[in-house]
Amino acid sequence: MSFYQSVFELIDMRSFSNLWFWIALAVLWSTASHWVLGVPYDMVLRARRNGGQAEQDLEDLVRINTNRLLFIASVSGLWLLGFGCFLLTGLCVLGFFYGVEIAQALFLLGFPMSIVGLISLSTSRLIQHEAAIGEQLRRRLTRHRLYVQITGMISIFVTALWGMYQNLAVGPLGG
């Protein structure tokens, strides 16, 4: 038995039975719900609690990040949308039509994150359109975080169901 066969026997390289995939999924959604439009959510809570300089820092950081996001969307948004759709469609076809498990896993990570990207773009436009500051800005960021968390819960649920199905179908019991 070669070294590589030993390693691949010891470490299961399939996506849904690999512990690292589930750790990456948890870290991805934990990070996505903590960073609201590029701003750590604890800054929102600190601004609500303390006001003053903390609130000014929050407003400045949100203004910088929303302007940056909207600039990127206006300059290269169509190219990014086209490339993202191409990539997700390729992963979907490879994963679910041809049965490539790593493509399924990447699609189940990437598709919900593309939805989070669209939610972020929408929230950025609303913040800029309303010129939101103070309590209105904090409410908008909290609502954005809630939408990201709901998307994450649905994504984790669907991914867990699909992963369990794959593990039962491909595993030692499924044949």
Side-chain angles (χ1 to χ4, degrees):
M1 183 181 290
S2 74
F3 174 73
Y4 291 111
Q5 287 174 331
S6 300
V7 168
F8 284 122
E9 259 186 41
L10 182 63
I11 302 171
D12 189 2
M13 298 305 284
R14 294 184 318 119
S15 300
F16 297 111
S17 60
N18 193 331
L19 179 63
W20 291 109
F21 171 76
W22 298 104
I23 291 172
L25 181 71
V27 168
L28 177 79
W29 286 109
S30 174
T31 304
S33 69
H34 178 69
W35 289 88
V36 182
L37 292 179
V39 178
Y41 192 70
D42 62 288
M43 280 187 76
V44 177
L45 298 176
R46 192 175 320 122
R48 178 174 291 137
R49 203 174 27 238
N50 301 336
Q53 186 62 43
E55 188 155 10
Q56 185 62 45
D57 291 346
L58 174 69
E59 290 171 359
D60 290 342
L61 198 51
V62 169
R63 179 184 47 79
I64 290 167
N65 287 331
T66 55
N67 286 343
R68 179 178 167 271
L69 186 60
L70 292 174
F71 176 75
I72 290 170
S74 68
V75 170
S76 57
L78 287 177
W79 283 102
L80 289 173
L81 179 68
F83 181 72
C85 288
F86 169 77
L87 186 65
L88 288 173
T89 302
L91 287 173
C92 185
V93 168
L94 275 174
F96 298 104
F97 186 72
Y98 289 109
V100 179
E101 192 171 314
I102 187 71
Q104 293 172 0
L106 291 174
F107 179 81
L108 291 171
L109 292 173
F111 180 70
M113 288 309 293
S114 67
I115 293 172
V116 169
L118 294 175
I119 294 170
S120 296
L121 186 60
S122 174
T123 302
S124 294
R125 288 191 182 180
L126 285 171
I127 288 172
Q128 191 175 58
H129 176 72
E130 297 170 342
I133 58 171
E135 181 59 31
Q136 184 182 19
L137 177 63
R138 291 191 305 269
R139 267 196 318 264
R140 182 70 60 199
L141 292 173
T142 301
R143 189 173 301 131
H144 173 77
R145 183 175 190 235
L146 177 67
Y147 294 157
V148 169
Q149 287 175 333
I150 290 169
T151 305
M153 286 187 301
I154 294 168
S155 170
I156 290 169
F157 179 73
V158 168
T159 303
L161 283 179
W162 185 255
M164 285 187 286
Y165 169 74
Q166 284 296 99
N167 286 333
L168 289 173
V170 179
L173 298 176

